[in-house]
Amino acid sequence: KQEVTQIPAALSVPEGENLVLNCSFTDSAIYNLQWFRQDPGKGLTSLLLIQSSQREQTSGRLNASLDKSSGRSTLYIAASQPGDSATYLCAVRVISSGSARQLTFGSGTQLTVLP
Amino acid sequence: GEEVAQTPKHLVRGEGQKAKLYCAPIKGHSYVFWYQQVLKNEFKFLISFQNENVFDETGMPKERFSAKCLPNSPCSLEIQATKLEDSAVYFCASSQYRGRHEQYFGPGTRLTVT
């Protein structure tokens, strides 16, 4: 059974810092990995999706990397801003004989960027 | 539409009452997923559909939960005889049949069982 872990659970940084959020998964047979952002009381916003064949994806100040063999992904946020404050969730879709497409989520990292 | 729509936004039910939640996937998306978020960040997969067919229901508590995706209608998730532990935010997501299979989430329905 796939398990996804995110470290740290919470992170507080001053504005302008670069930061890294970590995600690890136990089953390396994944189809893809998605990073989401969730604001309090809101839904999930998809930030980046990395296919299993890819090493990284970039969008603006965000860069996500994937090391499938070691079961790890990182989300790098450059020049953090108070508006980046949110919970960041990592989710993987496994490859299975039944072609299951659902995501398995980590428990998230709650990020606070202080002005 | 271009976004996953969920209604209602909030739903309050007394224990033992029925609750019905609705989801309209993004137009052209073939897959619909229901997830339950409890205890802040714990997401549990419930069920998925490929068009109107159940694709995977391994996460569904079958005795009280049911779901449908009928043609030309919003998908629905129904909970018969709600229990206190059903209190959660229920998210719907959709994805395309082809391509990157990226899942797009709706804003969720917060169910409170009192």
Side-chain angles (χ1 to χ4, degrees), chain A residues 31-32 34 36 38 41-44 46 48-49 51 57 87 89 93 98-103 105-108 110, chain B residues 9 31 33 35 37 40-41 43 45 48 55-56 58 91 95-97 99-108 110:
Chain A
Y31 187 88
N32 61 34
Q34 273 185 266
F36 294 91
Q38 185 175 28
K42 303 289 185 182
L44 302 179
S46 181
L48 290 164
L49 180 146
Q51 301 288 8
Q57 281 285 310
T87 296
L89 292 147
R93 178 194 158 189
S99 297
R101 291 173 173 247
Q102 63 267 24
L103 297 173
F105 283 83
S107 54
Q110 187 173 350
Chain B
K9 189 171 182 179
Y31 287 89
F33 305 82
Y35 296 89
Q37 184 183 25
K40 197 177 180 182
N41 289 333
F43 280 84
F45 165 74
S48 61
F55 190 75
D56 188 325
T58 52
F91 287 101
S95 71
Q96 292 178 316
Y97 176 75
R100 303 191 317 154
H101 306 296
E102 186 168 2
Q103 290 193 21
Y104 297 87
F105 280 71
R110 179 175 295 278

Side-chain angles (χ1 to χ4, degrees), chain A residues 19-110:
Chain A
L19 58 100
V20 174
L21 307 180
N22 297 291
C23 171
S24 61
F25 45 94
T26 55
D27 186 347
S28 61
I30 66 168
Y31 187 88
N32 61 34
L33 182 147
Q34 273 185 266
W35 281 96
F36 294 91
R37 167 186 174 140
Q38 185 175 28
D39 293 281
K42 303 289 185 182
L44 302 179
T45 301
S46 181
L47 298 173
L48 290 164
L49 180 146
I50 310 179
Q51 301 288 8
S52 62
S53 58
Q54 297 176 316
R55 297 285 292 186
E56 66 179 318
Q57 281 285 310
T58 298
S59 175
R61 293 183 294 108
L62 305 179
N63 176 278
S65 69
L66 175 64
D67 184 343
K68 200 174 66 166
S69 60
S70 67
R72 292 181 184 177
S73 176
T74 61
L75 180 66
Y76 175 83
I77 302 176
S80 58
Q81 302 170 359
D84 295 330
S85 298
T87 296
Y88 290 80
L89 292 147
C90 163
V92 300
R93 178 194 158 189
V94 300
I95 298 171
S96 70
S97 58
S99 297
R101 291 173 173 247
Q102 63 267 24
L103 297 173
T104 301
F105 283 83
S107 54
T109 293
Q110 187 173 350

Side-chain angles (χ1 to χ4, degrees), chain B residues 29-75:
Chain B
H29 282 193
S30 300
Y31 287 89
V32 171
F33 305 82
W34 285 98
Y35 296 89
Q36 178 192 54
Q37 184 183 25
V38 297
L39 296 177
K40 197 177 180 182
N41 289 333
E42 292 185 18
F43 280 84
K44 177 187 175 186
F45 165 74
L46 295 175
I47 190 169
S48 61
F49 288 84
Q50 181 180 4
N51 298 312
E52 63 266 26
N53 303 308
V54 174
F55 190 75
D56 188 325
E57 56 182 347
T58 52
M60 284 284 271
K62 293 182 184 176
E63 50 288 356
R64 295 184 300 109
F65 284 60
S66 63
K68 294 179 185 177
C69 275
L70 300 176
N72 303 312
S73 297
C75 296

